[in-house]
Amino acid sequence: MTLKDIYEWDKRSLERIKKFQLATKYKKVGIGLSCFVVLVMVALRFTEAEPAWIKPLLNNLMLLGLLIVSVSKEKIEDEYIVMLRSQSYRVAFLLGVVYVFVQPYVTYGVSLLIEPETARVEMSYFQVLTFMLLIQLMLFHVLLKKCHA
Amino acid sequence: MKNTLKVERAILDLTQDELAQRIGVSRQTINSIETNRYVPSTVLSLKLSAVFGKSVNAIFSLEEGD
């Protein structure tokens, strides 16, 4: 394999990743999965037994559901929609970074007021990724609605 | 950038939806171009130009500050 082949393979892979999107029908699958996870999480609040494995599983399923919605195409995915999608990802990324900086200290401050003994500066990957995906989805939805007007 | 898309569309008696279908974009895209919220790509501009039978320069023009 020559250097040129590697370059070409790299370029093709990058193009495939850049264009990767799921069909519109998967959006419903993602929404359904996320809603199902929320319902199970709420139901678990009212039960005594909660196996240790279930929370990470539900967190991952929630992220998967949101990701599926996020990468599913609109009915007509034209250049304008692609631009709105890019804008929403950019804002979500920037706010995600700010969230990572600020949120642990906010949580710590609130914990200090309520339970000073257990107060810690911490944050999970689930919180950050859920925040970013939700911001992206909400912003994209708002931008789409705005152009309907 | 300003454009005469709305006028050209009216001349051909096309709705936003019909024009969108002709060039394979969403109605929202046409609406956004007409209201100057979005500047289309060269490809889309050429498609619009082909529908209206006019040059891109006749449909789109630069404004002061562009």
Side-chain angles (χ1 to χ4, degrees), chain A:
Chain A
M1 192 180 253
T2 63
L3 203 61
K4 196 181 170 193
D5 290 337
I6 295 171
Y7 172 74
E8 284 299 321
W9 179 83
D10 209 34
K11 201 173 144 190
R12 279 199 303 273
S13 306
L14 194 64
E15 281 303 311
R16 269 203 298 271
I17 293 169
K18 267 165 65 182
K19 287 178 183 167
F20 174 76
Q21 271 192 307
L22 293 173
T24 312
K25 62 184 178 186
Y26 286 101
K27 190 180 268 190
K28 284 179 185 165
V29 175
I31 293 170
L33 182 61
S34 302
C35 290
F36 170 74
V37 172
V38 169
L39 286 177
V40 174
M41 281 175 168
V42 171
L44 283 174
R45 292 263 168 204
F46 299 102
T47 56
E48 291 289 313
E50 191 183 322
W53 54 267
I54 202 154
K55 204 174 172 191
L57 177 70
L58 288 174
N59 287 351
N60 289 344
L61 284 176
M62 170 65 102
L63 286 176
L64 181 67
L66 292 175
L67 184 66
I68 289 171
V69 179
S70 178
V71 297
S72 297
K73 279 183 193 170
E74 287 301 299
K75 274 180 194 156
I76 300 174
E77 187 83 15
D78 59 19
E79 60 178 53
Y80 183 59
I81 304 293
V82 170
M83 188 202 69
L84 295 182
R85 200 182 284 282
S86 305
Q87 280 181 354
S88 66
Y89 278 118
R90 194 176 59 202
V91 173
F93 176 78
L94 291 173
L95 288 180
V97 174
V98 173
Y99 183 78
V100 168
F101 283 136
V102 174
Q103 183 58 25
Y105 298 100
V106 172
T107 312
Y108 181 69
V110 173
S111 302
L112 269 182
L113 293 173
I114 302 167
E115 281 180 285
E117 308 84 43
T118 57
R120 270 177 291 173
V121 180
E122 62 179 8
M123 171 170 274
S124 70
Y125 76 94
F126 173 72
Q127 268 179 285
V128 181
L129 292 178
T130 308
F131 175 82
M132 286 171 85
L133 283 166
L134 285 175
I135 291 289
Q136 188 273 319
L137 290 172
M138 285 191 297
L139 187 64
F140 183 57
H141 184 73
V142 167
L143 290 171
L144 270 183
K145 282 276 166 208
K146 228 171 92 178
C147 71
H148 275 271

Side-chain angles (χ1 to χ4, degrees), chain B:
Chain B
M1 178 107 89
K2 57 185 178 180
N3 65 74
T4 57
L5 205 65
K6 201 169 181 177
V7 176
E8 300 297 342
R9 196 166 55 76
I11 292 169
L12 291 186
D13 196 23
L14 288 172
T15 63
Q16 286 186 342
D17 207 25
E18 286 165 344
L19 177 60
Q21 278 178 20
R22 280 204 192 185
I23 58 170
V25 296
S26 64
R27 190 191 63 75
Q28 289 75 31
T29 303
I30 300 297
N31 185 41
S32 300
I33 298 170
E34 281 186 5
T35 52
N36 291 323
R37 284 202 303 257
Y38 177 60
V39 178
S41 68
T42 313
V43 175
L44 194 50
S45 306
L46 288 170
K47 282 182 183 176
L48 288 166
S49 140
V51 169
F52 298 130
K54 292 188 175 174
S55 72
V56 174
N57 280 344
I59 304 167
F60 297 96
S61 54
L62 292 172
E63 282 179 303
E64 216 168 289
D66 279 336

